[in-house]
Amino acid sequence: MATYRSSVTVVVLAHLIVNILHGQAHTNLGVGLSNWQQIFVIAVILLAPLVALAFSFTRYARAALWLLLVSMLGALIFGLCYHYIIISPDHVSHLPAGDARSMFQITAVLLLVTEALGVIVAGVALSRLPSHKKAQETRA
């Protein structure tokens, strides 16, 4: 249990740092998001992993891992689509001119890396944790 908590902590905090830097690049370049995108970014990409981290230290650790898995997968798909597939001002190849262009591009890649790691960490931890039913049988 302690090993996966350490991994969750490292991945979530690294993701938070990259998120903050990426947000600054967005602001510096004037690349805005629509209302629904802002809500998604705040709820799924920013807050959900932090909530998962907090709950990973409670008896709700399995639920926390599921939340981490789903939020990081959602963030990964969102970032992949908006930074690399859908042509918009948020696409890494179509950014407005500015000093923060390279920061935006680097952090876009780092977001994908930390989100993929989050999916992997959560998936591996879930596969290694005994199921609730098995844990009850072991106690009996």
Side-chain angles (χ1 to χ4, degrees):
M1 291 276 256
T3 303
Y4 92 80
R5 284 186 183 123
S6 298
S7 299
V8 167
T9 301
V10 168
V11 167
V12 170
L13 293 180
H15 186 251
L16 176 63
I17 291 166
V18 175
N19 249 319
I20 291 168
L21 294 172
H22 190 71
Q24 289 174 345
H26 262 269
T27 301
N28 291 342
L29 289 173
V31 175
L33 299 174
S34 68
N35 287 340
W36 82 264
Q37 289 173 319
Q38 288 177 347
I39 292 167
F40 186 89
V41 167
I42 291 168
V44 176
I45 298 175
L46 186 63
L47 294 179
L50 294 171
V51 170
L53 174 60
F55 277 96
S56 72
F57 290 93
T58 72
R59 65 185 179 144
Y60 302 107
R62 179 174 296 283
L65 288 171
W66 278 109
L67 178 59
L68 182 65
L69 179 73
V70 170
S71 66
M72 289 292 199
L73 184 58
L76 180 66
I77 293 167
F78 182 91
L80 187 61
C81 287
Y82 284 97
H83 292 145
Y84 297 98
I85 298 172
I86 297 169
I87 304 302
S88 72
D90 199 22
H91 191 285
V92 294
S93 298
H94 297 273
L95 296 170
D99 293 338
R101 260 181 98 120
S102 61
M103 175 65 82
F104 189 105
Q105 292 166 334
I106 291 166
T107 56
V109 170
L110 291 175
L111 282 172
L112 292 180
V113 170
T114 57
E115 291 157 359
L117 287 172
V119 170
I120 291 166
V121 164
V124 168
L126 281 166
S127 72
R128 293 188 179 167
L129 278 181
S131 71
H132 182 68
K133 194 173 193 176
K134 286 182 187 176
Q136 285 180 338
E137 291 170 0
T138 304
R139 287 186 214 143

